[in-house]
């Protein structure tokens, strides 16, 4: 029988991880997760899809996540790190991805008002 961490375990781990990463990245505004763990349809082999919004970054989008430690989470993880202006543009768009995020995202850390 295969066992895999359930949503409660992953949610708790992501919250703890977010608190620690916010200490390492002072410009963090928000951290959340979306995808199967947020929807509740996770299964054996599911990863957790993470998103972080930071005030700004000198790094290009594709390099930002490499500065974050996602290896200690109980399941594989993918992280997208947006600056505030990038996030605002994404949320203002009518893209399918933006709509998915609006519907699914579970914010585990919020330092901004928006």
């Amino acid at each position: 029988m295969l066992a895999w961490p359930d949503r409660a375990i992953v949610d708790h781990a992501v919250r703890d991880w977010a608190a620690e990463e916010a200490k390492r990245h002072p410009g963090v505004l928000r951290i959340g997760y979306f995808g199967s763990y947020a929807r509740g349809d996770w299964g054996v082999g599911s990863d957790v899809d993470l998103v972080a919004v930071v005030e700004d970054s000198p790094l290009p989008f594709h390099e930002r996540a490499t500065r974050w430690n996602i290896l200690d989470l109980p399941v594989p993880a993918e992280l997208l790190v947006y600056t505030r202006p990038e996030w605002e543009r994404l949320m203002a768009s009518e893209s399918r991805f933006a709509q998915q995020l609006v519907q699914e995202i579970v914010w585990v850390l919020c330092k901004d008002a928006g």
Side-chain angles (χ1 to χ4, degrees):
M1 181 166 109
L2 294 174
W4 201 253
D6 66 19
R7 182 179 182 188
I9 290 170
V10 171
D11 181 85
H12 182 73
V14 169
R15 289 174 190 279
D16 289 348
W17 169 83
E20 288 302 312
E21 287 298 304
K23 293 175 190 172
R24 292 184 57 232
H25 303 276
V28 170
L29 301 173
R30 291 179 163 229
I31 297 175
Y33 64 95
F34 63 98
S36 62
Y37 274 101
R39 291 188 306 266
D41 59 1
W42 59 274
V44 172
S46 290
D47 67 351
V48 61
D49 299 299
L50 304 165
V51 63
V53 181
V54 298
E55 189 61 50
D56 56 32
S57 175
L59 299 173
F61 182 80
H62 68 277
E63 289 182 20
R64 292 182 201 143
T66 65
R67 304 293 197 261
W68 298 61
N69 177 18
I70 58 174
L71 299 177
D72 293 334
L73 290 165
V75 295
E78 292 187 31
L79 172 63
L80 303 172
V81 182
Y82 291 92
T83 63
R84 181 193 298 256
E86 290 167 344
W87 182 256
E88 290 171 352
R89 279 193 301 276
L90 176 61
M91 290 296 102
S93 76
E94 295 183 17
S95 73
R96 184 177 215 168
F97 183 56
Q99 292 173 10
Q100 176 187 2
L101 288 171
V102 168
Q103 292 172 354
E104 293 179 5
I105 201 154
V106 175
W107 293 113
V108 299
L109 183 135
C110 296
K111 291 184 174 182
D112 64 343

